[in-house]
Every structure is written in structure tokens, then in C-alpha cells.
Amino acid sequence: MASPFLSNSTISFSSSLKSSTLPRLFPSVSFSSIRFKPTPRRILTVRSKIREIFMPALSSTMTEGKIVSWVKSEGDVLSKGESVVVVESDKADMDVETFYDGILAAIVVGEGETAPVGAAIGILAETEDEIAEAKAKAASNSGASAPSAPPPPPAPAAGSTPAPPNSTPAYAAPIASEGLRKTVATPYAKKLAKQHKVDTESVVGTGPYGRITPEDIEAAAGILPSKTNVGPVVVVEVKPAAPTKATSDSSAPSSIPPPVPGSTVVPFTTMQTAVSKNMVESISVPTFRVGYPVTTDALDALYEKVKPKGVTMTALLAKAAAMALVQHPVVNASCKDGKSFSYNSNINIAIAVAINGGLITPVLQDADKLDLYLLSQKWKELVEKARAKQLQPQEYNSGTFTLSNLGMFGVDKFDAILPPGQGAIMAVGASKPTVVADADGFFSLKNKMLVNVTADHRIIYGADLAAFLQTFSKIVENPGSLTL
Amino acid sequence: MHSICSQATAVPRSNFAFDSHAPALPTSKPINLRFCGLRKEAFGFSGLTHSCSSRVRFTSRGHSKRISASAENNGTPPKSFDYDLIIIGAGVGGHGAALHAVEKGLKTAIIEGDVVGGTCVNRGCVPSKALLAVSGKMRELQSEHHMKALGLQVSAAGYDRQGVADHANNLASKIRSNLTNSMKALGVDILTGFGTVVGPQKVKYGKVGFPDNIVTAKDIIIATGSVPFVPKGIEVDGKTVITSDHALKLESVPDWIAIVGSGYIGLEFSDVYTALGSEVTFIEALDQLMPGFDPEIGKLAQRVLINPRKIDYHTGVFATKITPAKDGKPVTIELIDAKTKEPKDTLEVDAALIATGRAPFTNGLGLENINVETQRGFVPVDERMRVIDANGNLVPHLYCIGDANGKMMLAHAASAQGISVVEQVTGRDHVLNHLSIPAACFTHPEISMVGLTEPQAREKAEKEGFEVSVAKTSFKANTKALAENEGEGIAKLIYRPDNGEILGVHIFGLHAADLIHEASNAIALGTRIQDIKFAVHAHPTLSEVLDELFKSAKVKATALSHVPVSEPVAV
């Protein structure tokens, strides 16, 4: 039985146990009289009035203990024999008493944290004058002598967390724009956060009503979602909980081909899970595509003019799309139940952005109403927030129409998948010089850009989309109205 | 039915379990009289300094004089009464009383306005046991560690909500028909309608819209039970804000449910919901979870039933306002500090279960016709379940048993009280020892208890000047528990070392609810530790946990001279 006192020279305080609280497993004689006898030392006359409270060894097999609760709080006056702290060993919870009168100056190891046997868990000062000194000591202690007493949970460093907790609209549902909300985390999410030292304030929830789910914490902590059957239960009436579905799929082993030898399996991050779920969900929507060539010479000229004022091409395209949508509200609508049109009162343009191995769609709200400069400014903010993973749910899942632009990569034409909950998405290719012949047979060189819109055919028909694209094309070809 | 809730005050069910003996004390003259009339040769007794048996016999005679009014008529056939006994309410209490009354030769009728079986069978113990059976199996299947230790391999366990709900419903119907058939077979008349007392020995009953029938009986037992208590400010919609009545139908399994109250009901539902995949938040007004339990048991239970599960809790708070989910908003719960009444927090969850106790269902009973005033809805009774009127006098021929009197709100307590009443009206005095009535909470593992908790025993010991000792054994040392890989749990015995009297037994562990009866029978029959420790238990069984418990108690040598109850029989 190693004495906890050997490790530190300033000790003169330790803990004892109430024999009445001892489980029968431990003969009650061993504690107070033998091991926990205070051993004051003469050389410590100066500092002996500040005493450390140690993690006691509550059983012969105990190597570390967890603080269940502090009975006393900092600043409380203690008298000899009073319970100060409740410690959980590998066997039971025990009250730990003080051997000295004094003031609990500082708590070094907080509730719920663990410390090895013999480590200082609190500091006791004899008088009020010594509290400051004791606190300083506590500060140095928490860094040095109590290795497993963790410092306050650090905000996850941006680089080290693999999974940005932001997510594409997994729950398009009712996140009303109520401004700032307090952080809501489920009981298990809180437990996991404590266990993995994740600060819930730094996590963006993807659960219902924007709450933080256990999966969000696991993603933030960079651990695999627990895939044991302890975890999510296979509920037959599955609600939109992505991992649950994953479990139910994996429970049918025959449908999964054996892995190629040597391959590595990297589980999805929360964001990737949400993307995957949305993509699979999109299969249930009958979509069709209509392409349209748009001449961009006038737009390019305008862009050159307004670029110094901070306007981006993305903002120009978003504005143009929004203005076209004003005239074609059905393209801004969505089909929620397969039986009706849901017309949106706002035109919110979501724009797909690739970020850290994920995909997110920050939303320019009321893009038809805001002017170009405000939109550009807003977009800059959104992108910064997205990079810092600070987008609020309504900033990435309130879109009514999506814009995806791969033109900067030289892509001339591509096909986008319609995100669930929206009626249409526009895929924009690169603008390229093209030889065109006019009605009189004269050839000329124009910049042409191919746009391709994917839409939900339950509500948007071919003619609707064609008319919308015609309007969009006119706006882009006569872009003067964009700056109004 | 909910109208009466607003009048009554919430009292957690567990409180009754232990306060119940107190009201009986002032009316019975010898302060600590505890005996069981069924077995006069085995009087249990926790007297002060008097000698034991003579005093009890003496006082029991005294009691029979006091009830002579009701005993006089016994044996003479009723001249003008329709029945010997009418019971209002066909729950477990009324059923137990009816069966015993028939056995005693009484012409018996039972009046039921709803369904036979009452709360226990239809909306309480019975369907909840079906759900808990499912949750227990789910837990085993989900515990990979547990399965591995047994060498079993199970792929992910799943469940069908409707199938589980049907199981609970089918069980309730089956038990209900068993109950109905058992009464019909014995010739108990089942009268349908709400019963009202219209005068002494006279009851009317009938359905709404039909003419009332008036029946008379020599004796009447009120056994109308209780309904879930819903505190003010809480809006129950039956979908997202629910009581146990709704929860037992298991119409949904919310992702996150708040349970208001951490007594038996709340604890059992937390076991069910977490096993089915929900996360749970407890809201408890007192400073500790599970306030009714022995503190040591509660602490251990918290380590096993709460901490490792997907459960968090708020203690020392009242839920002042709970709004159901609507208009795309979640269920919101406003919490205030229980002491300072300051607003503390607002929770947003998917559902809330109100488990703040039960309120007596006594409105419309016509008690005003016989000058009886309810206290917080409960019908006041003496220790023999005789109803006391507003002036403090006994109402002749009227008794009240079960949740409606609030002494001990447990189904089997109601039944025991009913049997006690039948014993009295058939000429045998009988006082039920409530301290011998066991209680159980069917979590995984189970919790059970009988008698006093350790603090209660120590308080009593200090007042009456005797010594209290505590013995404990662990399930970890039990062969059968280890074979099941369920070694978590303890049994705790609280006793008097001077005479070997058992004051209380508390068990937390595998099948605790079935194990408690050895202890509760010992208390009911007055068996002392020095005698019961020689009783033999089959090996290997869980009952050896109690065997070891009794053997580990240290009864002083002076008490050991006591001769064993039964003479040895040669075989």
C-alpha cells in the first residue's frame, strides 16, 4: 500500500474516512489510524499552514479516484472531522473528512474529474490571509502535480477536429429565425461531452430544434460513433436519425460486399453523414433537368466595374437568380407532402461551398431584396463563419433555391442533385468565348455560360423551368437592373 | 376524472409507504402495538419495556370490545339488507376484499364505474410489468459486455413499438378477465356504474342517463383508488405531455423525454424508455433522486440505474409550467428553484411524463351525506380502515381501503386492508401491520424494501432508547447471481441487536422484488433473526443473499435463549 505522502514535500494534510460509510468489503480499522495519520514535518514551518487535500487510497486496488461531489465549496470554513468531498473509488462512494480546521481555498480537481491516488485535489488554508497564496499554489498544482486533473476543456482546435459539426440541412424543419438560442444538449450528449472534454458551446447541434446530439459530440471529439448494439437501438418507426438507419442497414450483412483487402474504412463525419442522408433521400424525388446557354459579356463587363467595390460573381449570380425567381414563384416553391405546392414567402438563395472535406450551403436570405453590395458583404461573412464552423442552423438550412457554381474549375456543364425540401437547383458552368452566328449570318465571339437547372417535376414543369431560365438569361444579358 | 386533481396535493407515492403508520398511533392506546390477527401464536411486537406476550393479548381483547358494535350483528342473517357487503370500486383492493368476503360467507356485491381491475391492472402495475419485461430483455441483448461474458453473440437488438404496446395491452386484458371471472365464479355480484353513498348502509349506483339503483348493505367498503396527480401549470395533452396512463399505451418512444418525479413510477419508466433508446431527464423537487428509498440503496441505485445510462437530472427544482409541443416547437418546461422560487432553467424536450404521484379518486362519492370531509381528497380512516367523520367520530359500517385512504398507495396494501376489514366485519378483530407490507420497484435490477429505512430506524431508536444495527451482504458473493453475471447489488438488514427484531430490509439486485417476502413475512409473523437464521435455503439460489444477511446479523447472547418457534420434527 503505497503511501500517498511520499510524493510531495509540503504535505501535512490528508483524509480519513468515516468508518460508518465503509462497505463491509474493507475492514474499517485500517484507515484513519494507520494510513491517514497526519505526518507533520518540522522543516515545513513556513508553508505548513497551506495544506493539500489528497486523493486518498480507498481500497488496496484503487489507483485513481473520481470526485463525485464536493460537499464544501471554495471559501467554506472547515472544521476537523467534517466531510469535504465524496470520492468514487473502483468499489464505492466515500466521504472524505478533513483532519484540520481551515478554509477550503481552492478546488484543484473538480466534480466528475479523476485524479490518481496521492494527487492534490484541493487546497486548505488555515486563515483567510493565506487564501490567495493557496490559490496560487492551486494554479501551479493543476498544471504540474495533478496530471490527470484536466484543465478546463479547451475549445476544440480548428485544425485538429476532423469533423466540422456544421451540417447541410439535415433538419430542414422548424428552425424558426429566433435569433440566438441557448445551447441545448441531450443528456447523453452532455455525458459524452464531459467524458471527452468537449465544450458544448463550441458544437453546433444537428438534432431536432438545433439541439446537440450524442453524434455531434462524437464528431467533435473525433471518435467513431459507437457502433455496438449498446448505442442507437433499431427502432422500427425510425425518425430522422441518420446513425440509426446506418445501424439497421448494417444489421443485414448480406447486402454489404466484403471489403477489398487492404482498404481502410473511414467513418463519415457528422457533416458527411448528413450529406449522405440527404443524397439518398433525394432519390425519392422525381427530377428532370433543363439547360440554357446564357451570354455573359454584359455581366462580365459589369463585374469588372463593381469588383473594386467588393462584389463577387457569386453575389451577382445569386442576385440574378433571385430576381428571376420573383417572376417565377413556382421555381422557388417546394413539394413537402407530394400533394401540394408550398410557396415560400422569402427568396433565400443557398450556395454550395466545399469546406474541409465537407459540403455546406450558406444561405443568402432575401436575396431579391438586398442590394448587390449588401449581398456581397453578407456572403463574405457567411463564408468566414462557415470556415470557422460558426454558422447558425438557419444560416445553412433555410434555403429555398440552391446555386452551385463549378465554373472556376473550367467545368462547362454539370448536373446537380436536388436537395430535399427545395424545388430547384441551378448548376452554373464556366463562361467561355464561343463563336455564334446571328440571324443575318454574321459570326461573332460571345462569352457563353451553360446553366443547368434540376427541378422537382411534381411541382415544376418543363415550361416553368424554361420560362424561368429565359428570364434569368435576360437579366444576365441586361444586368443593369442588378445594381439598382 | 381530472377535475379532482386540482384539489388534491401531490404526495409522492413513496411517502405513504413510511408515514402510513403514524396516523394509526394516536388512536391505538399502546403506542407501538403491532400484531397480526391471523396468527395469534406468533405475535410480533416492538414494545418498550413491558413484557411481551401478555400485554399484547390484553390489548387485543380491549380492541375487540371497541368494535363490538359491528361484531354484534354478525351471524344473524340480514333482515332488511340487500347484501352483507358492498364494495365500491373493483380494483385490486376491492377484488381482494370481495374474494375474502365470499370465503367468509358474506353476500357480496362490487360496484365498478369503469373497468374491473382498476389502476393496477389497467393503467398501473400490470401493463408496466409487461413494458419492463421488454426493457429487461432489451438491456441484456444490448449489453455487449454482458453477452460476451456469457459467451453469447447477438447481432443488434431491435424492437417493434406496436408489438411491445400490444404485449402490455394483452397482459392487462388477460389479467382483467381473470379478475372478473374469479369474482363471477364465486358469486360476487358485479354492479356497473358509479357508486355513491347516500346514507348509512345505503349506496346508489348507475350509469349516466340511466335511473339510479339503490342498494343496501350491512357494511360498505370504499375502494375507489386514485388517478395520476398533475400539478398546476402543467398542460397534459396525452401526446407529448403525458401521465403514466398514456405512457403505458406506448404510443410513441420519444428521442428525449423529461420525467417529472423520481419515485417508483418515474424510475420504472426511465428504465423502459432508456432501454428502448430514449434519453431521459429527471426533474425532482427534493434535493436527491429517489427520495423515498433508503439513502444507501438510493445511492447505489443511482450509480447503477442513472449514472451509466443516458439520463441526466435536475434536483431541487419544481416544474412550474409545461407546454406540450405544438406549432413546430418542442415541449418546454419551466423550472424554478424549489427553495428560493427563483426561475432556474427552461428545458426543451420531445416529451414529458408527469410522475409526481397519485391523487385519490374520491369526488362524487357522496361523503357529504354522512358528514365525512376528505383531507386533500383522502378519506380519513383509523387503523382499522373505519371512516372517521368531520367530528372525529367513527362512521358505523363504513370502511375505506387502498389509495383512497392514502395510508400506503400500493395495490397489495389495498388488498391487505380489504382482507383486514372483512376479518373485522366477520367478528375477528384485525389490525394490519403496514410495516410488514413490502414495496418494490421493477427496474433492472429491481429494488425492494419492507419496514423502516435506516434513518427512520435510527430516529425511532433514539426516541425509544434502543440500539440499531445494520448488516449487509452483496450479490457479488452469491453463486446464482454470478452465474447470471448479475453480481451488482446489496441486501441490507436493519435490526435490534438486543432482541433480534427485524426493523427493515432493503434489497437492490437481481429479482429483489421476489426476494423481499422472506423478510416481510418474518416481520408480519414476528419472527426474530435468531430463529430465521436457522431456516434452510436451497443452494444455489438468490435467496441465499438473505440467508447470509440473517446469518451475518449479530444478535446479543441474551436474546438467544429464546426457544425456536416450532418443535423439531423427526422424519
Side-chain angles (χ1 to χ4, degrees):
Chain A
M1 241 185 258
S3 162
F5 303 143
L6 300 176
S7 55
N8 196 314
S9 61
T10 56
I11 327 147
S12 51
F13 168 92
S14 189
S15 335
S16 82
L17 293 155
K18 272 193 273 190
S19 58
S20 65
T21 62
L22 284 173
R24 297 178 62 252
L25 304 169
F26 320 117
S28 54
V29 284
S30 66
F31 289 98
S32 52
S33 55
I34 303 165
R35 286 223 321 265
F36 292 94
K37 191 124 187 162
T39 54
R41 300 177 187 188
R42 256 174 301 154
I43 48 165
L44 299 172
T45 45
V46 181
R47 302 194 60 190
S48 67
K49 284 178 176 177
I50 294 169
R51 301 183 165 104
E52 295 182 346
I53 304 175
F54 295 106
M55 175 63 70
L58 300 176
S59 73
S60 55
T61 55
M62 176 172 166
T63 55
E64 61 169 25
K66 182 173 164 196
I67 308 293
V68 176
S69 61
W70 281 92
V71 181
K72 302 287 177 178
S73 37
E74 289 185 7
D76 282 2
V77 177
L78 311 178
S79 50
K80 195 174 158 182
E82 262 187 301
S83 293
V84 183
V85 60
V86 181
V87 171
E88 180 186 292
S89 74
D90 50 347
K91 299 226 167 61
D93 288 355
M94 307 219 182
D95 288 1
V96 176
E97 299 166 8
T98 164
F99 258 110
Y100 292 95
D101 295 341
I103 298 162
L104 183 58
I107 287 172
V108 179
V109 181
E111 290 185 4
E113 293 170 1
T114 48
V117 167
I121 54 176
I123 307 285
L124 187 72
E126 198 157 277
T127 63
E128 280 186 32
D129 305 336
E130 287 150 356
I131 290 180
E133 195 191 333
K135 281 202 166 142
K137 190 176 161 69
S140 66
N141 252 325
S142 63
S145 78
S148 75
S160 68
T161 42
N166 307 327
S167 158
T168 42
Y171 293 91
I175 301 195
S177 43
E178 285 178 40
L180 279 175
R181 301 171 54 89
K182 65 166 194 160
T183 311
V184 176
T186 72
Y188 188 46
K190 279 190 229 159
K191 262 182 197 169
L192 283 176
K194 208 166 177 186
Q195 200 179 328
H196 297 294
K197 316 238 182 307
V198 173
D199 180 10
T200 50
E201 297 296 327
S202 70
V203 177
V204 175
T206 63
Y209 314 105
R211 76 169 67 126
I212 297 168
T213 64
E215 291 78 27
D216 295 335
I217 300 291
E218 281 173 340
I223 54 169
L224 307 181
S226 54
K227 59 180 189 331
T228 64
N229 43 7
V230 182
V233 181
V234 184
V235 184
V236 169
E237 34 154 31
V238 198
K239 287 196 213 138
T244 312
K245 228 172 217 163
T247 314
S248 74
D249 288 344
S250 65
S251 69
S254 57
S255 65
I256 297 169
V260 178
S263 62
T264 46
V265 177
V266 181
F268 284 159
T269 60
T270 313
M271 181 192 275
Q272 289 160 344
T273 306
V275 171
S276 164
K277 176 177 160 287
N278 276 346
M279 291 306 97
V280 172
E281 233 169 66
S282 71
I283 294 172
S284 62
V285 177
T287 53
F288 73 113
R289 290 143 196 93
V290 175
Y292 206 97
V294 182
T295 309
T296 60
D297 293 84
L299 186 73
D300 293 341
L302 176 70
Y303 179 51
E304 287 306 317
K305 253 196 278 173
V306 293
K307 201 174 172 183
K309 295 175 187 163
V311 175
T312 60
M313 187 48 107
T314 304
L316 278 169
L317 289 170
K319 179 74 180 167
M323 288 175 69
L325 287 170
V326 173
Q327 297 179 41
H328 302 273
V330 72
V331 184
N332 193 46
S334 63
C335 183
K336 297 243 189 312
D337 53 3
K339 290 179 211 150
S340 61
F341 296 80
S342 297
Y343 286 99
N344 294 300
S345 51
N346 298 356
I347 293 175
N348 299 337
I349 307 288
I351 301 164
V353 181
I355 278 178
N356 304 343
L359 172 65
I360 194 152
T361 54
V363 175
L364 283 170
Q365 293 181 356
D366 294 319
D368 57 322
K369 299 196 181 81
L370 296 181
D371 72 36
L372 206 46
Y373 307 103
L374 269 176
L375 268 186
S376 300
Q377 203 185 329
K378 184 94 193 144
W379 179 244
K380 216 174 136 213
E381 285 170 25
L382 284 172
V383 171
E384 275 166 17
K385 271 189 169 177
R387 292 233 160 84
K389 301 168 201 123
Q390 282 168 349
L391 283 181
Q392 295 299 308
Q394 72 268 21
E395 288 175 324
Y396 59 77
N397 63 12
S398 59
T400 58
F401 180 89
T402 302
L403 196 64
S404 181
N405 185 0
L406 292 180
M408 55 288 221
F409 297 108
V411 169
D412 65 339
K413 184 177 134 183
F414 72 105
D415 185 29
I417 292 181
L418 180 65
Q422 293 182 19
I425 178 171
M426 178 186 275
V428 181
S431 181
K432 285 185 181 170
T434 311
V435 179
V436 286
D438 67 12
D440 299 326
F442 290 107
F443 289 91
S444 62
L445 209 56
K446 300 266 187 205
N447 283 333
K448 287 249 175 201
M449 168 179 91
L450 288 171
V451 298
N452 192 14
V453 178
T454 305
D456 183 346
H457 208 301
R458 290 174 300 177
I459 52 168
I460 303 165
Y461 306 156
D464 296 327
L465 217 45
F468 163 73
L469 281 164
Q470 202 174 18
T471 308
F472 176 75
S473 162
K474 273 190 189 140
I475 292 170
V476 171
E477 281 161 17
N478 303 290
S481 60
L482 290 179
T483 53
L484 293 179
Chain B
M1 230 157 111
H2 286 289
S3 61
I4 68 155
C5 300
S6 54
Q7 294 182 355
T9 320
V11 189
R13 190 187 253 214
S14 46
N15 283 358
F16 292 107
F18 301 112
D19 294 345
S20 60
H21 199 62
L25 293 180
T27 42
S28 73
K29 252 177 273 163
I31 287 173
N32 224 5
L33 179 76
R34 292 168 55 196
F35 66 90
C36 175
L38 291 173
R39 288 281 304 269
K40 293 217 168 170
E41 70 279 16
F43 279 130
F45 162 69
S46 65
L48 306 168
T49 50
H50 305 276
S51 82
C52 165
S53 57
S54 64
R55 193 186 71 130
V56 175
R57 285 190 190 283
F58 178 75
T59 45
S60 84
R61 227 175 282 134
H63 280 299
S64 47
K65 257 181 223 157
R66 281 167 53 184
I67 59 139
S68 59
S70 59
E72 265 172 6
N73 296 338
N74 193 52
T76 55
K79 284 173 222 140
S80 51
F81 296 119
D82 300 327
Y83 293 99
D84 295 319
L85 179 65
I86 287 182
I87 302 157
I88 307 176
V92 169
H95 175 259
L99 258 52
H100 193 61
V102 171
E103 190 191 319
K104 288 286 179 177
L106 300 184
K107 187 171 186 240
T108 309
I110 197 160
I111 301 176
E112 179 55 57
D114 189 19
V115 282
V116 170
T119 297
C120 173
V121 172
N122 300 293
R123 299 172 299 274
C125 347
V126 170
S128 68
K129 294 304 100 52
L131 298 184
L132 282 157
V134 172
S135 85
K137 289 186 168 54
M138 279 299 285
R139 273 187 201 291
E140 275 183 29
L141 294 172
Q142 284 169 15
S143 169
E144 203 178 35
H145 169 73
H146 180 86
M147 284 293 157
K148 217 179 244 170
L150 294 173
L152 290 176
Q153 287 173 347
V154 180
S155 58
Y159 69 93
D160 166 23
R161 184 199 53 76
Q162 192 56 48
V164 178
D166 290 346
H167 172 51
N169 191 33
N170 293 342
L171 179 69
S173 333
K174 184 180 250 169
I175 303 296
R176 183 166 61 232
S177 68
N178 286 354
L179 231 60
T180 312
N181 292 341
S182 68
M183 289 196 291
K184 278 187 182 152
L186 289 172
V188 175
D189 283 350
I190 302 176
L191 313 174
T192 311
F194 283 93
T196 305
V197 178
V198 288
Q201 301 173 300
K202 199 182 281 179
V203 176
K204 77 169 180 198
Y205 71 95
K207 285 180 180 168
V208 178
F210 290 91
D212 286 340
N213 302 297
I214 298 226
V215 280
T216 57
K218 193 168 80 57
D219 293 292
I220 297 166
I221 297 178
I222 296 168
T224 45
S226 61
V227 292
F229 169 73
V230 179
K232 266 194 298 189
I234 296 179
E235 184 187 339
V236 171
D237 71 346
K239 296 268 182 280
T240 57
V241 180
I242 58 179
T243 67
S244 56
D245 287 2
H246 311 104
L248 288 166
K249 292 183 189 145
L250 201 72
E251 280 172 354
S252 68
V253 179
D255 289 345
W256 183 4
I257 185 164
I259 299 182
V260 186
S262 65
Y264 294 63
I265 304 174
L267 212 52
E268 290 189 355
F269 275 108
S270 80
D271 195 276
V272 170
Y273 280 118
T274 51
L276 299 185
S278 303
E279 294 181 42
V280 168
T281 295
F282 269 120
I283 297 166
E284 171 59 54
L286 297 175
D287 286 336
Q288 266 192 326
L289 290 178
M290 298 177 260
F293 297 86
D294 182 86
E296 197 172 351
I297 298 285
K299 208 168 186 180
L300 181 62
Q302 186 168 337
R303 287 166 64 102
V304 176
L305 301 177
I306 309 277
N307 295 351
R309 296 185 181 172
K310 295 176 181 178
I311 300 177
D312 69 350
Y313 49 86
H314 299 260
T315 52
V317 290
F318 284 128
T320 44
K321 186 159 188 268
I322 301 185
T323 317
K326 58 186 161 204
D327 306 329
K329 291 212 175 83
V331 175
T332 54
I333 303 175
E334 288 174 23
L335 300 180
I336 61 161
D337 191 291
K339 291 192 190 87
T340 63
K341 312 289 175 208
E342 300 279 325
K344 243 194 146 173
D345 207 346
T346 303
L347 305 182
E348 292 181 0
V349 292
D350 296 322
L353 168 66
I354 313 305
T356 43
R358 298 187 60 88
F361 181 52
T362 52
N363 251 20
L365 259 176
L367 294 172
E368 61 283 356
N369 298 334
I370 43 169
N371 191 29
V372 171
E373 283 174 10
T374 59
Q375 292 166 0
R376 298 172 303 150
F378 294 108
V379 178
V381 293
D382 72 353
E383 77 281 9
R384 288 177 175 75
M385 311 303 140
R386 293 177 293 195
V387 174
I388 299 168
D389 72 12
N391 304 324
N393 300 320
L394 295 177
V395 180
H397 307 293
L398 185 65
Y399 302 82
C400 178
I401 62 168
D403 289 3
N405 72 30
K407 272 181 180 288
M408 195 178 206
M409 295 175 89
L410 297 168
H412 49 273
S415 187
Q417 290 169 356
I419 290 167
S420 173
V421 169
V422 171
E423 282 292 300
Q424 291 170 52
V425 302
T426 52
R428 277 182 82 148
D429 187 23
H430 185 268
V431 175
L432 182 64
N433 175 8
H434 283 83
L435 283 176
S436 74
I437 298 179
C441 185
F442 295 84
T443 44
H444 296 92
E446 294 170 344
I447 310 170
S448 63
M449 68 197 81
V450 65
L452 304 175
T453 64
E454 189 178 337
Q456 285 169 338
R458 294 206 182 276
E459 193 189 326
K460 184 174 162 173
E462 195 164 320
K463 221 180 275 170
E464 299 177 15
F466 59 84
E467 207 184 321
V468 168
S469 290
V470 172
K472 279 177 257 177
T473 52
S474 165
F475 278 64
K476 282 200 180 79
N478 181 275
T479 311
K480 191 71 188 320
L482 291 178
E484 301 277 348
N485 200 23
E486 302 268 7
E488 191 88 64
I490 60 166
K492 174 175 177 181
L493 168 69
I494 301 150
Y495 65 101
R496 286 183 62 159
D498 59 341
N499 65 6
E501 184 191 347
I502 301 170
L503 300 173
V505 173
H506 303 263
I507 310 174
F508 174 72
L510 186 63
H511 295 307
D514 292 311
L515 292 175
I516 196 68
H517 298 97
E518 184 168 11
S520 63
N521 288 354
I523 292 178
L525 304 181
T527 314
R528 301 295 167 101
I529 294 166
Q530 57 270 33
D531 299 329
I532 203 169
K533 71 193 285 188
F534 292 109
V536 180
H537 296 70
H539 176 75
T541 58
L542 292 171
S543 72
E544 289 172 292
V545 171
L546 286 192
D547 186 26
E548 202 192 322
L549 186 66
F550 295 133
K551 287 192 165 86
S552 68
K554 301 213 168 9
V555 179
K556 285 184 183 147
T558 47
L560 300 181
S561 55
H562 186 71
V563 186
V565 177
S566 55
E567 294 295 315
V569 180
V571 285

